[in-house]
Amino acid sequence: MVARYALIFVLGIIAILMVSPLILTVFTSLKPTTELVNPAWYPPLDVTIDHYIRVWTEGGFNRYFFNTLLISIVDAAVMIVIASMAAYALVFLKFRGKIWIQILFLIGLMIPVTAIILPLYSIIRSIGLVNTHLGVILADLALAVSVFVFMFTSYFVGIPKALHEAARIDGATEFQIYRRVVMPIAVPAVVTTALLEFLWSWNDLLLRLLLLPRDEMRTLSVGLLNFQGTMTRDVTGLSAGTIIMAVPVVVLFLFFQRHFVRGMTQGAVK
Amino acid sequence: MARVELKNLSKAYQDVEVLHDINLTIEDGEFIVFVGPSGCGKSTLLRMIAGLENITGGDLLIDGALANSLSPKQRNIAMVFQSYALYPQMTVAENMGFSLSLERKSKAEIADKVNAAAESLQLTHLLKRKPGQLSGGQRQRVAIGRAIVRAPRVFLLDEPLSNLDAALRAETRVEISELHQRMKTTMIYVTHDQVEAMTMADRIVVLNGGYIEQVGSPMDLYNNPASEFVAGFIGSPKMNFVKGRYASALGAETVGIRPEHFDLGGGENAWEGEVSLVERLGHDTVLYVRVADAGPLTVSLSGQHSQQVGDRLHLMPKPEHVHRFNTEGRPLA
């Protein structure tokens, strides 16, 4: 019983540590400027949404938000298709050179993003896609595809081979097996990929900073930097912007939490 | 319905040949069973006929046409898998109608065929359920239904009963046999259970180590085994094999005597032993008897008998039922 209370106590401390920055940010974003002299953990006495309105309109977050949403949705959707198809081929098809392709994907998992960001920038610039959303999407997909191929592969190896064979006997083509037999079973992996890729795309700063220098193309993560000058900092604007950026992701995660956890743990235990 | 011919068929994985020179003709409408121990190649052979494994050597002919490089769909065969392999996201009706929907048949036609198959297998009340909501026996019936709906030329069944409990296995065995009687379609059935083979087959193919040991009707294999292996594999309880002086006295290296082919008592040549275990099955009594120089023997007596552990017995093999084998395990004339 003591151990149980100790565990709850430790978990409580961790939970408070995790959630407190978010609460402090919410407090700051809702405080009138006059209350900023109070300590950060003071809740707002006079709640205002002026900072949200200011950030959304004057701060350009309305444009940034839809730029981010567009890139993240396309990223997630395309990633589901290409990663699942690649994993399907690796798991269910026999072809020459398969092992080398698997090794290439493994290498892709091991190389840190920062190590290849400059060559990637050069490639995107050479094909004239700097300052386009397509350029960012291509770079995002290239950087993360190994992770999601690995995730789908782990999921697909858990699907009995007999299902694939039964569908072949039933007369299905490989694409029909992929679309009608395998993918409907892989919903947890699809949801996990969609959420993770959406999240990574939504939160990424480095690639967008490099590839989207023009203001009208920017995303939320880059837009937040507008509130952080060299000498000054717009704390309320920064907080409101952070919350605007965080809310969609939190809502999505809460909505799909069950599928997400299933997808992440699939294959861990048969 | 179709005639299936295997001509010098072989299968190798890289340099390792696992099936050697298989020659077999399966007649139109025949129920043939591939039987053998684990690893003998029976499932591989079935999968080669299905088109799920490449054929390394030889020819496969279906209705006289070479089928080596045809896809499973082009061969027009249906297969029932050991693990059922039902699509978990589809209902029973969708599972059964999947192949027809791939052929772009009309919904009405699919529904008609699915309903007819479901009725013949008593699955009508389960059509809207998903496989996860069915028992093992029901799943197996759905897998059979999925095969029936396509009206294939050949049915392939890969150990379809091995995941079922004993009672359900016996029941489904009868259902499959009745199904064959009704449909008269060529069926190739793989099992490691010789009881299934004996009770269902028109002809049995016994495989061992990638070779065909013997092909014949169940009674042919039982009465005239072509090798010591077949003699030991077919029949339950297993045939007793005796070497040494008892075998020499009968002019063979090894003699095989089925458990039911002993008489109790006998004259001065009778084999004397001690009962070490008794199994009372009601219709039969099975005695395990230790006989000096012959080893442990299994003796099956028809009806109910009173022998106890420790009793001493005299056994006499029925001469007309003694199988004599040479050193290579082949029968002596």
Side-chain angles (χ1 to χ4, degrees):
Chain A
M1 193 54 106
V2 174
R4 185 180 152 82
Y5 283 124
L7 195 65
I8 291 172
F9 179 74
V10 172
L11 283 175
I13 297 287
I14 293 171
I16 288 168
L17 286 175
M18 297 284 283
V19 85
S20 52
L22 183 68
I23 290 173
L24 294 186
T25 310
V26 172
F27 282 177
T28 308
S29 71
L30 294 172
K31 277 179 187 173
T33 318
T34 49
E35 284 186 37
L36 288 177
V37 289
N38 294 339
W41 58 85
Y42 270 39
L45 302 172
D46 192 11
V47 173
T48 175
I49 58 164
D50 286 352
H51 306 304
Y52 286 92
I53 296 169
R54 178 167 58 87
V55 164
W56 188 258
T57 54
E58 293 165 32
F61 262 46
N62 50 354
R63 198 170 50 245
Y64 300 155
F65 188 90
F66 288 107
N67 286 343
T68 313
L69 195 67
L70 175 75
I71 293 173
S72 302
I73 288 176
V74 174
D75 261 359
V78 177
M79 183 60 85
I80 289 166
V81 175
I82 60 173
S84 62
M85 281 188 166
Y88 179 89
L90 291 174
V91 173
F92 293 107
L93 304 185
K94 289 179 191 166
F95 57 91
R96 210 179 276 267
K98 186 159 134 179
I99 184 74
W100 295 109
I101 292 177
Q102 283 172 322
I103 290 171
L104 270 179
F105 278 122
L106 269 180
I107 292 171
L109 277 177
M110 294 168 200
I111 295 177
V113 173
T114 41
I116 53 168
I117 199 128
L118 283 178
L120 196 62
Y121 175 76
S122 299
I123 293 168
I124 298 293
R125 197 177 60 176
S126 68
I127 53 176
L129 290 179
V130 171
N131 256 324
T132 65
H133 291 154
L134 179 62
V136 175
I137 290 166
L138 286 178
D140 280 348
L141 295 173
L143 286 173
V145 71
S146 297
V147 176
F148 293 109
V149 169
F150 184 73
M151 181 179 290
F152 270 107
T153 304
S154 309
Y155 198 89
F156 287 169
V157 292
I159 296 175
K161 285 273 194 299
L163 275 187
H164 179 255
E165 292 173 348
R168 278 180 69 198
I169 299 265
D170 273 341
T173 61
E174 290 299 341
F175 185 71
Q176 284 170 326
I177 301 173
Y178 162 80
R179 195 174 64 83
R180 296 184 62 177
V181 176
V182 172
M183 287 306 275
I185 302 172
V187 170
V190 169
V191 171
T192 306
T193 301
L195 276 181
L196 276 182
E197 178 60 17
F198 186 91
L199 189 71
W200 289 353
S201 177
W202 188 271
N203 289 336
D204 179 70
L205 173 65
L206 193 56
L207 264 179
R208 279 125 185 92
L209 209 52
L210 275 174
L211 295 175
L212 300 172
R214 261 177 37 212
D215 184 64
E216 65 267 29
M217 303 302 285
R218 281 184 181 164
T219 59
L220 288 170
S221 55
V222 184
L224 275 180
L225 295 179
N226 293 343
F227 301 102
Q228 170 84 54
T230 316
M231 305 295 284
T232 56
R233 183 187 297 163
D234 176 356
V235 180
T236 48
L238 200 58
S239 301
T242 304
I243 297 302
I244 289 173
M245 193 172 160
V247 164
V249 176
V250 173
V251 169
L252 264 181
F253 182 79
L254 289 177
F255 198 69
F256 289 108
Q257 188 189 18
R258 207 161 51 91
H259 283 299
F260 180 76
V261 173
R262 263 171 65 198
M264 292 291 280
T265 55
Q266 191 72 30
V269 180
K270 280 250 176 184
Chain B
M1 290 197 285
R3 185 172 198 256
V4 180
E5 292 168 82
L6 316 180
K7 290 187 173 172
N8 307 111
L9 217 60
S10 64
K11 174 71 185 174
Y13 294 104
Q14 272 116 37
D15 296 335
V16 183
E17 195 168 271
V18 294
L19 279 170
H20 322 273
D21 201 26
I22 303 288
N23 284 289
L24 180 69
T25 301
I26 301 161
E27 296 299 338
D28 201 5
E30 193 175 20
F31 195 127
I32 202 144
V33 175
F34 295 167
V35 73
S38 296
C40 69
K42 55 190 186 299
S43 284
T44 306
L45 186 57
L46 190 81
R47 290 166 59 80
M48 285 162 75
I49 297 170
L52 297 173
E53 294 278 354
N54 294 333
I55 293 169
T56 321
D59 291 333
L60 167 71
L61 290 92
I62 301 177
D63 273 341
L66 190 66
N68 284 30
S69 51
L70 296 184
S71 69
K73 183 188 177 185
Q74 289 167 321
R75 294 179 196 204
N76 192 14
I77 42 98
M79 186 159 167
V80 178
F81 292 82
Q82 182 180 356
S83 58
Y84 320 123
L86 299 177
Y87 311 120
Q89 76 280 18
M90 297 183 198
T91 62
V92 168
E94 287 165 345
N95 263 283
M96 290 169 70
F98 184 61
S99 60
L100 300 177
S101 75
L102 292 172
E103 291 172 20
R104 300 190 178 280
K105 301 273 191 217
S106 70
K107 281 187 178 169
E109 188 182 348
I110 295 173
D112 281 350
K113 289 188 172 172
V114 167
N115 287 335
E119 206 169 309
S120 72
L121 293 162
Q122 290 108 47
L123 288 170
T124 308
H125 63 295
L126 303 173
L127 283 175
K128 287 183 181 162
R129 291 206 200 159
K130 296 222 169 138
Q133 299 166 305
L134 305 178
S135 68
Q138 288 169 333
R139 284 183 207 180
Q140 192 52 276
R141 289 221 301 280
V142 175
I144 293 168
R146 183 171 64 179
I148 292 175
V149 162
R150 296 181 50 197
R153 290 195 293 177
V154 185
F155 274 104
L156 307 178
L157 301 104
D158 188 6
E159 306 210 28
L161 308 184
S162 50
N163 284 348
L164 305 180
D165 62 51
L168 204 52
R169 204 180 306 159
E171 199 177 298
T172 314
R173 204 167 67 200
V174 174
E175 282 178 14
I176 293 175
S177 293
E178 285 174 349
L179 187 73
H180 179 249
Q181 296 291 332
R182 279 204 309 273
M183 299 182 67
K184 301 283 181 207
T185 308
T186 312
M187 284 194 179
I188 307 175
Y189 187 105
V190 162
T191 181
H192 61 268
D193 181 348
Q194 61 89 30
V195 176
E196 277 175 30
M198 294 290 282
T199 51
M200 299 170 90
D202 291 328
R203 278 193 305 155
I204 297 174
V205 179
V206 182
L207 287 140
N208 183 30
Y211 292 94
I212 290 183
E213 285 273 341
Q214 190 174 1
V215 182
S217 70
M219 284 309 107
D220 197 22
L221 264 59
Y222 188 82
N223 294 324
N224 305 301
S227 67
E228 207 175 304
F229 175 82
V230 176
F233 198 81
I234 299 291
S236 178
K238 284 178 70 169
M239 182 183 273
N240 299 290
F241 292 104
V242 178
K243 292 176 183 285
R245 68 180 172 96
Y246 290 116
S248 303
L250 292 162
E253 176 68 21
T254 308
V255 289
I257 304 140
R258 296 207 179 275
E260 62 273 28
H261 291 157
F262 283 104
D263 285 325
L264 292 186
E268 57 187 43
N269 292 330
W271 304 358
E272 192 186 352
E274 183 183 307
V275 177
S276 61
L277 188 70
V278 181
E279 287 178 352
R280 301 184 197 284
L281 304 175
H283 57 288
D284 281 331
T285 305
V286 180
L287 309 176
Y288 294 86
V289 184
R290 283 203 198 96
V291 176
D293 296 340
L297 298 178
T298 311
V299 178
S300 178
L301 304 174
S302 184
Q304 298 176 8
H305 294 260
S306 58
Q307 279 81 7
Q308 301 289 331
V309 172
D311 285 359
R312 294 202 70 79
L313 288 179
H314 286 88
L315 302 170
M316 199 63 198
K318 294 174 180 171
E320 69 276 22
H321 290 298
V322 172
H323 299 268
R324 301 182 308 133
F325 299 100
N326 63 18
T327 46
E328 279 83 46
R330 297 288 157 195
L332 292 167

